Amino acid sequence: MPEGHSVHRIARQFRRNFVGQVCQVSSPQGRFALGAAEIDGLRMLGATAVGKQMFLEFEGDHWLRIHLGIYGAWDFAGEIVVDDTIASAQGRMGQTNHAGTVLGSAEAGTDVSDHDPIDRDGEDSISSIGAPRRSRVRMAENDTVSAADAEFPPPPIGAVRIRLLTENAVADLRGPTVCELDTPAGIQAVIDRLGPDPQNDDSESAAQTFIERATKTARPIGIVLMDQSVISGIGNVYRAEMLFRARLNPHTPTKSLTREQLHGLWDDWDYLLEIGVRLGQMMTMDKLDPESYTLAMANRDDRHWVYKREGLPCRKCGTNIVLEEMANRKLYWCVTCQQ
């Protein structure tokens, strides 16, 4: 399931390539035919992500709510503005990161946030967004760049729930958990039920909202961090990594944590989410030397402290990483470092 940074990146692609444009909207699969007809021919006015949910605003107070769930994915194609981190990777990026290689530039011992991805032409992919180009990009749990189609728009592939088409770009949605139209009031009600998202509001007030909601429950912190009504956007990868970075036992009752500990989790989520949005990868290890950083950018196994490292020695203490199930999700942690 895509975590928060992926959905923010998808929303950003819509803002760059669709907002302000009149969209032809259809449902090749047929399951969203009535909803597609209602917004067909309308101009897209905005694209917003909150946690794992995305909201597209159209003229006439029409809103489209999308939750990708486990299997959902967006395909973008056409003459679109694509981040150079996507275009240069020629591999997979997003919720579970690239399989392609992006070179990293860094000084030994610096924090993750001090590292900038450098594309194959040696350009900083953060400041060099790139001109529109004919591309095809799939954005989901992993995002894939491929060669452009010979024809535009390309024919729908698979069961496309909704297609958004402008003169230069097309976006196809497949397999979402939620794809529905709603009113402004309905969308606001959904947002009000979600916990704070530091990409949208990293103020102290937002931090206190998270802390107040978290301190009201005795549920384990390993469950609470993935409760989207408490804090938005954290999934299985970030949950495991944040708890290790904080040296917290996942089974600790949340209300037994101090406000300082909870504030530390909020600050770390703000930090890691910004890195994920910026790099398109869930990079959770700090203070890597240049060689280690380059390996981490190329390979998820070199990027995380505990996630998917069950049975392997902890990078800090050597104890084998444990895999167990918590609330029907896989949990990875070190029983020594996270006592």
Side-chain angles (χ1 to χ4, degrees):
M1 179 180 292
E3 302 198 27
H5 77 289
S6 294
V7 184
H8 278 287
R9 288 175 65 84
I10 293 169
R12 185 166 64 181
Q13 291 304 316
F14 274 106
R15 289 194 293 271
R16 288 176 176 162
N17 296 292
F18 289 83
V19 169
Q21 304 296 316
V22 172
C23 297
Q24 297 178 38
V25 186
S26 60
S27 179
Q29 177 193 56
R31 289 183 57 185
F32 194 65
L34 292 178
E38 191 169 339
I39 56 176
D40 183 33
L42 299 182
R43 190 178 307 275
M44 187 182 295
L45 302 181
T48 303
V50 182
K52 299 179 182 181
Q53 304 214 34
M54 188 177 70
F55 309 94
L56 300 178
E57 180 185 5
F58 293 85
E59 294 174 310
D61 283 340
H62 294 281
W63 287 79
L64 179 65
R65 179 168 78 96
I66 303 294
H67 192 306
L68 293 178
I70 297 176
Y71 303 109
W74 281 101
D75 274 357
F76 294 88
E79 294 183 359
I80 55 178
V81 177
V82 182
D83 282 358
D84 283 338
T85 39
I86 297 174
S88 66
Q90 292 299 314
R92 307 194 71 172
M93 51 156 294
Q95 192 248 358
T96 318
N97 321 306
H98 294 294
T101 300
V102 180
L103 299 180
S105 66
E107 297 179 359
T110 55
D111 289 339
V112 174
S113 60
D114 294 327
H115 296 255
D116 290 342
I118 302 298
D119 68 19
R120 288 173 179 166
D121 296 322
E123 295 185 358
D124 183 342
S125 61
I126 298 167
S127 59
S128 177
I129 298 302
R133 69 199 72 175
R134 184 61 66 86
S135 304
R136 188 177 185 92
V137 182
R138 189 177 198 201
M139 305 188 77
E141 180 178 2
N142 296 285
D143 300 350
T144 307
V145 179
S146 60
D149 297 275
E151 61 179 301
F152 180 82
I157 299 174
V160 175
R161 184 77 56 88
I162 186 172
R163 164 168 280 202
L164 302 171
L165 175 65
T166 71
E167 291 184 359
N168 300 310
V170 62
D172 288 343
L173 173 66
R174 291 194 294 275
T177 296
V178 176
C179 174
E180 64 182 20
L181 291 179
D182 208 337
T183 63
I187 294 296
Q188 190 59 53
V190 172
I191 293 174
D192 289 343
R193 292 195 295 269
L194 296 173
D197 180 336
Q199 270 290 297
N200 299 327
D201 182 2
D202 62 355
S203 67
E204 182 59 27
S205 175
Q208 292 302 318
T209 297
F210 159 64
I211 292 170
E212 292 301 327
R213 293 182 183 184
T215 54
K216 292 179 180 179
T217 178
R219 291 178 299 162
I221 186 61
I223 292 177
V224 170
L225 281 182
M226 292 179 62
D227 184 341
Q228 301 302 299
S229 69
V230 176
I231 188 169
S232 284
I234 298 173
N236 220 27
V237 181
Y238 280 123
R239 183 262 302 270
E241 294 296 294
M242 288 172 61
L243 289 174
F244 180 83
R245 288 164 61 89
R247 301 299 189 265
L248 286 176
N249 186 316
H251 299 279
T252 304
T254 303
K255 68 177 183 180
S256 71
L257 297 176
T258 66
R259 297 182 73 88
E260 289 74 20
Q261 287 175 305
L262 290 169
H263 207 301
L265 288 170
W266 168 265
D267 289 341
D268 202 40
W269 177 224
D270 186 11
Y271 171 74
L272 293 176
L273 179 58
E274 172 61 26
I275 293 167
V277 172
R278 182 161 62 86
L279 300 187
Q281 303 187 15
M282 286 185 282
M283 173 70 85
T284 56
M285 296 181 66
D286 286 300
K287 304 188 184 306
L288 299 178
D289 59 50
E291 180 180 357
S292 297
Y293 179 76
T294 299
L295 289 173
M297 289 293 286
N299 183 8
R300 181 185 63 195
D301 293 342
D302 296 305
R303 195 177 300 147
H304 300 317
W305 290 105
V306 294
Y307 181 72
K308 284 201 171 179
R309 287 181 50 80
E310 69 274 19
L312 296 175
C314 172
R315 298 182 190 274
K316 287 291 187 181
C317 73
T319 303
N320 286 351
I321 299 300
V322 169
L323 168 62
E324 63 180 82
E325 187 173 286
M326 174 177 278
N328 300 316
R329 298 295 302 275
K330 292 181 178 179
L331 171 68
Y332 304 85
W333 64 296
C334 175
V335 297
T336 299
C337 291
Q338 297 174 253
Q339 291 185 1

